[in-house]
Amino acid sequence: MADKFTTGQMPPGQKLRGSDGAEYLILRLIARGGMGAVYEVGRPHDATRWAMKEMSETAFSRGDRAATVAKFQQEAELLRALRHENLPRVADVFEFNHRHFLVMELIEGRTLGELLDDHGGPLPEKDVVDWGAQLCRVLAFLHSRNPPIIYRDLKPDNVMVETASGRVKLIDFGIARRFKGGKRSDTFMLGT
């Protein structure tokens, strides 16, 4: 198998079958990054739309592939078990053509990073205070799990703001981890 980055190349109209037999139809590419891509997909049997995160095994060397797939599946399992208004809901996790997919709630909105770039200066104080309070609530929720969940990549690009409601959603749990007590140092330098 070639070690070539191939995510983000599924054309609109392509169909994939999920773990429970549900069919997902690619509608458009939303974003492509270093670890994979995110598509908007439709689920024809119930006329719903979702975000589908794709991770290609071919993006990694043979030695790293198993660990990378395990981390992707860990992210999926972590999110699937969590229910909070500031976290995306997970609908499915499956493998297709040596690629692994995570289907989650489609968030109609923009990241805080995009909002900051477009605004060209400080955002309205009222909005910032509201978003900050929401982030504190979701982080408190994560920290209150047993064992606690440590979200290690909090940055404007990982916070989505829903257009209609103003609700924030914390996204990208790729490097979150469960806290392991008894260690002097809990985390490595990961993320941005």
Side-chain angles (χ1 to χ4, degrees):
M1 187 182 299
D3 290 329
K4 185 177 179 185
F5 187 81
T6 59
T7 58
Q9 297 181 14
M10 290 189 294
Q14 182 169 340
K15 294 178 182 177
L16 295 91
R17 193 155 303 279
S19 64
D20 61 356
E23 190 174 79
Y24 296 98
L25 177 68
I26 302 291
L27 300 175
R28 69 181 176 99
L29 177 67
I30 295 173
R32 183 182 354 221
M35 295 288 283
V38 179
Y39 298 90
E40 179 179 349
V41 298
R43 199 164 59 186
H45 82 272
D46 62 5
T48 56
R49 294 179 335 166
W50 300 85
M52 184 174 72
K53 185 174 182 178
E54 171 195 23
M55 185 211 62
S56 173
E57 290 184 70
T58 60
F60 307 96
S61 69
R62 183 172 291 275
D64 294 335
R65 190 170 289 123
T68 302
V69 169
K71 284 183 183 187
F72 185 82
Q73 290 171 337
Q74 177 185 354
E75 174 188 5
E77 290 171 22
L78 185 66
L79 275 172
R80 189 176 245 183
L82 299 173
R83 296 283 183 268
H84 191 276
E85 68 180 354
N86 299 110
L87 297 174
R89 191 173 74 252
V90 171
D92 200 359
V93 180
F94 63 97
E95 179 183 354
F96 176 82
N97 250 5
H98 302 291
R99 293 183 178 140
H100 297 266
F101 298 93
L102 168 64
V103 179
M104 62 191 138
E105 176 183 359
L106 177 66
I107 303 163
E108 299 284 355
R110 311 199 52 217
T111 68
L112 278 180
E114 291 168 335
L115 292 173
L116 282 166
D117 289 345
D118 289 351
H119 199 267
L123 293 163
E125 181 179 354
K126 177 183 168 287
D127 294 336
V128 173
V129 168
D130 179 48
W131 297 332
Q134 290 182 60
L135 287 172
C136 287
R137 286 192 296 271
V138 72
L139 291 172
F141 168 78
L142 293 171
H143 294 172
S144 71
R145 302 301 88 203
N146 188 13
I149 296 168
I150 311 300
Y151 183 86
R152 301 188 291 179
D153 202 13
L154 186 58
K155 61 184 180 180
D157 288 337
N158 285 345
V159 177
M160 293 285 297
V161 180
E162 288 181 318
T163 303
S165 68
R167 179 178 294 142
V168 299
K169 298 275 187 169
L170 194 56
I171 60 172
D172 199 351
F173 273 68
I175 61 173
R177 73 190 264 314
R178 296 185 189 278
F179 176 76
K180 293 180 181 142
K183 296 172 97 181
R184 277 183 73 98
S185 176
D186 181 53
T187 61
F188 297 101
M189 289 299 292
L190 295 172
T192 50

